[in-house]
Amino acid sequence: MSKAITKVDNRAEQAIVLLNHAEQQLAMAEALVDALDVRDKARAIDALTRIIGAHFELEQRATILRLKAERKAGAWLTENVHQGQRSDLRDDLTSLSNVGITRWQSSRWQAYAELDDSRFNAWIDDKLAAGHDISGAALYRYA
C-alpha cells in the first residue's frame, strides 16, 4: 500500500472519530452555543473529507450532522427568540448577530426544526436511498 493511500485512510479514520465525538456532543447539547459548536465542527469535518478525497458517505454524514445541529439551533431559537428579541438574557446574548447568526439562518433553521424527527429521518433515508446529495437547500424546500 502506498504512503498516499495510507495517509488518506488515516485521515478518513480521524474524520470518523471526529464525527462520532461531534454526534455525541450534539446529543448532549442544550444551549444554542453547543449546537453552533457542533455545526462548526461538522462543517470543518465536511471540508476535511473533501480535501482528503474521503468517501462520499463521510461527506454526507458530516452534512447530516450539520443539518441536525442547525435543527437543534432552530428549535432553541423557536423557543427562546420572539420578534427578534431573546426572551431570556442568560449569557448576555441580546441579538442573533452577537452569536453570528443571520436572520436568514435563523428563519431557515427554525423551518428545519418544524419537521418532527420521523419526517426528518425519513427524508434523510429517502435521499440516501436515491443516491442524492443531502443539502440545506433541499431540506429547506422539503420543510
Side-chain angles (χ1 to χ4, degrees):
M1 185 182 309
S2 75
K3 288 183 181 182
I5 292 173
T6 303
K7 192 172 191 177
V8 169
D9 289 342
N10 287 341
R11 288 184 180 169
E13 287 176 17
Q14 289 173 345
I16 291 169
V17 169
L18 292 171
L19 277 166
N20 289 340
H21 178 71
E23 287 169 345
Q24 291 171 351
Q25 184 181 357
L26 183 61
M28 296 184 300
E30 292 183 14
L32 177 63
V33 293
D34 298 331
L36 294 177
D37 184 46
V38 172
R39 176 185 182 265
D40 292 344
K41 287 177 181 177
R43 291 177 68 198
I45 294 166
D46 182 43
L48 172 66
T49 60
R50 291 172 194 269
I51 289 168
I52 64 172
H55 304 283
F56 178 71
E57 292 82 16
L58 281 178
E59 293 176 23
Q60 291 287 63
R61 189 171 159 202
T63 300
I64 292 166
L65 177 61
R66 177 182 55 85
L67 293 174
K68 286 179 178 181
E70 290 173 354
R71 284 183 72 235
K72 193 162 225 177
W76 188 94
L77 291 165
T78 298
E79 292 177 15
N80 294 287
V81 177
H82 304 284
Q83 299 176 345
Q85 298 294 320
R86 289 231 1 220
S87 60
D88 74 31
L89 298 178
R90 183 182 52 191
D91 299 330
D92 294 323
L93 299 175
T94 57
S95 71
L96 294 174
S97 62
N98 286 348
V99 290
I101 300 173
T102 66
R103 285 184 175 183
W104 179 84
Q105 288 170 318
S106 174
S107 174
R108 197 169 178 117
W109 299 349
Q110 289 180 62
Y112 298 168
E114 289 177 11
L115 293 172
D116 62 37
D117 287 342
S118 63
R119 285 186 61 209
F120 174 76
N121 291 329
W123 178 81
I124 294 288
D125 292 342
D126 290 345
K127 288 290 186 184
L128 291 174
H132 294 132
D133 280 346
I134 295 171
S135 68
L139 179 59
Y140 185 68
R141 285 189 300 273
Y142 179 70

